[in-house]
Amino acid sequence: MTATLATAVHTPEIRTLALRLVRGSLIYALANFATKALNLVLFPIYTRFLSPADYGIISLAEAIAVTLMAVVGLGLDAGMRRFYFQYLDDPPQLKRSMSSILRCATLSTLVAVFAASMLGQRLLTWTAPHFSVPFYPYIEIAIMTAALLQIVQYRLSLYQIEEYKRSFVLLSLGLFLATAAAVIVLVVFVRWGAIGMLLGKLLAAGLATIGALYLLRAWFRAPLEWKFVRETLPFSLPLVPHSLMALCLVAADRFILAHYRSLQEVGLYSLAYTLGMAMYLVSLSLGQAWQPIYFDTARAGDNCGRHMLAKLSSGMAVLLTATAIFGVQIAQDFSRLLDPRYSPVGQLIPWIIGGYLLHAFFGLFHLALMEAKKTKFIFFASAAAFALNLALNLWWVPLLGMYGAAYATLVAYGAEALLTYFYAQRVFFLPYNWGRIFAALSLLAVVIALSQFNWRGYVHMFETIGTLLSTMTMVWFFGGKTVGQIFKVAWTAD
């Protein structure tokens, strides 16, 4: 009787959730992939005017800047997304809460930038006197850019949770086009190399921040009330070390690689990460649409809602894995379009795509902890993954170079996802379909192994056709019915 009732409720409501998910994902994917697709078109141009060493400098400077912003942001961006739904039914409280969080977050960011500009060189000299990238001008410019983009991110986050997807797309595209224009002028025409790339990003971030502050003006009208900040901080502060560990997990391998290998290898590794980011963009687009749907559904707290969340989450896991398989298969083909100096990235990208897929699984699982306000465990999982990543990097990078760094990141992301899954199931159980997910992951493992060989001519063609047919068959038998229903609902809805 209970199962019948659950199914009866489940069927109409899952269509509504599916419609929101598909439409939202497609719109976010338009923004994410439009910008990155144009960026990929520009990569062959950039690589003509930037050396691998330039990419190494840019990567290290931006890694430091983003890490600093993760600390000074106090996790308030995530807190804003979670507490928005707590006050959704009380508009006056909602406006006061969001305004207080925004004011506090903006103030902490500006103070941090000022302190970094004044003390950055001294701190760098004290902590890393032989660091290969000077603070002025490279790291300072990267910090200023990251701070401005943090303010832009607050506006984007509000668009996301309000499900104002078109506004999100327009602001994202505007930021990208301004960045591309400034970088092309300074890198291609003025020929300023790494400093031109960093300055171009700074100019674009400044313009975007002016626009974001104007668009946030309605949210800033309410005064700062510390009670809302105090309410948010116990939730958001554990996410600061989590974000720091997550960034360190990505950045540590670059610093270790820079210690044992050349800046050229750091640049190759960074470029491979950038190209492998297509996998991240798929998961990001789904996550941006899924997060508000997840919180909105989970707050009801009934079994029907959990079954809907589990069914859609399992389907997304299969689709994400299929996307990873496709990305792995075309990685070498795409790498041949770049300057010959960058050809080694073709066999490195598949491992990075695999790592991003496991990180996407973590993104699915950790929403349960966010809903239950168990953010302290998110930090624990990230810290454990970072410690494992650091140990493996110190072991494998001296032996295997950039491949060792990629292997270490893949293993660390897998450990983070597993830890988060098992604890999340304790606090907010969801019945995932693991049989299908494991089968999809097994096919991915085979495709990654095949990608490490230089197949030529007809062999490569037959391998590609076989991989694509296997992937389509897998998606159809493991998730085709659910996915087909979802897209049918999205297509036929009014």
Side-chain angles (χ1 to χ4, degrees), residues 41-58 180 182-198 271 338-342:
V41 171
L42 294 174
F43 261 118
I45 299 175
Y46 293 156
T47 54
R48 303 282 178 182
F49 296 92
L50 294 173
S51 67
D54 286 330
Y55 269 107
I57 291 171
I58 295 166
V183 168
I184 288 174
V185 169
L186 296 179
V187 172
V188 176
F189 293 103
V190 183
R191 304 286 184 93
W192 280 1
I195 191 69
M197 175 74 82
L198 292 170
L271 181 61
L338 303 177
D339 187 280
R341 295 174 296 172
Y342 294 88

Side-chain angles (χ1 to χ4, degrees), residues 103-293:
R103 286 173 179 272
C104 181
T106 303
L107 180 62
S108 67
T109 301
L110 294 177
V111 170
V113 171
F114 177 77
S117 297
M118 297 297 294
L119 304 173
Q121 182 61 63
R122 294 180 183 178
L123 289 174
L124 184 64
T125 302
W126 176 56
T127 56
H130 302 295
F131 191 62
S132 55
V133 180
F135 185 84
Y136 301 111
Y138 301 107
I139 298 175
E140 182 184 34
I141 294 174
I143 289 174
M144 294 172 64
T145 303
L148 293 173
L149 291 178
Q150 184 73 25
I151 296 173
V152 177
Q153 182 57 43
Y154 295 137
R155 177 64 272 185
L156 290 172
S157 293
L158 279 170
Y159 280 148
Q160 179 189 344
I161 56 182
E162 293 173 292
E163 298 193 66
Y164 292 164
K165 305 174 190 69
R166 290 176 178 81
S167 298
F168 183 100
V169 170
L170 290 175
L171 181 55
S172 299
L173 285 174
L175 173 60
F176 168 76
L177 292 175
T179 302
V183 168
I184 288 174
V185 169
L186 296 179
V187 172
V188 176
F189 293 103
V190 183
R191 304 286 184 93
W192 280 1
I195 191 69
M197 175 74 82
L198 292 170
L199 276 176
K201 292 182 178 182
L202 176 61
L203 291 173
L207 290 174
T209 301
I210 294 172
L213 288 173
Y214 176 77
L215 295 170
L216 282 168
R217 65 191 186 282
W219 290 104
F220 277 116
R221 286 172 184 165
L224 172 62
E225 297 184 42
W226 287 107
K227 67 176 183 179
F228 292 111
V229 178
R230 289 194 297 269
E231 176 187 47
T232 307
L233 287 177
F235 173 88
S236 66
L237 283 178
L239 295 174
V240 173
H242 154 67
S243 299
L244 187 60
M245 292 298 102
L247 288 169
C248 288
L249 194 152
V250 174
D253 48 13
R254 290 166 173 78
F255 290 100
I256 295 172
L257 195 58
H259 178 75
Y260 287 103
R261 301 296 177 108
S262 65
L263 275 177
Q264 180 177 354
E265 193 161 345
V266 176
L268 289 171
Y269 184 71
S270 300
L271 181 61
Y273 246 98
T274 302
L275 296 176
M277 200 175 252
M279 182 66 237
Y280 171 73
L281 294 178
V282 173
S283 62
L284 176 64
S285 302
L286 280 170
Q288 287 171 325
W290 181 235
Q291 192 173 95
I293 296 172

Side-chain angles (χ1 to χ4, degrees), residues 75-95:
L76 292 173
D77 182 33
M80 182 170 61
R81 291 196 298 268
R82 174 62 181 85
F83 282 91
Y84 178 90
F85 291 96
Q86 180 164 313
Y87 294 110
L88 187 59
D89 298 326
D90 188 350
Q93 286 280 86
L94 174 64
K95 190 169 185 178

Side-chain angles (χ1 to χ4, degrees), residues 253 257 269 273 389 393 396-397 401-410:
D253 48 13
L257 195 58
Y269 184 71
Y273 246 98
N389 182 60
N393 268 288
W396 289 342
V397 167
M402 58 186 180
Y403 287 95
Y407 302 156
T409 302
L410 177 70

Side-chain angles (χ1 to χ4, degrees), residues 20-75:
R20 289 170 65 187
L21 176 61
V22 172
R23 287 184 170 176
S25 298
L26 290 176
I27 293 173
Y28 288 126
L30 173 64
N32 295 326
F33 275 96
T35 56
K36 295 301 179 182
L38 290 173
N39 210 20
L40 289 176
V41 171
L42 294 174
F43 261 118
I45 299 175
Y46 293 156
T47 54
R48 303 282 178 182
F49 296 92
L50 294 173
S51 67
D54 286 330
Y55 269 107
I57 291 171
I58 295 166
S59 175
L60 292 174
E62 291 183 338
I64 293 173
V66 173
T67 301
L68 176 63
M69 288 304 108
V71 175
V72 302
L74 304 177

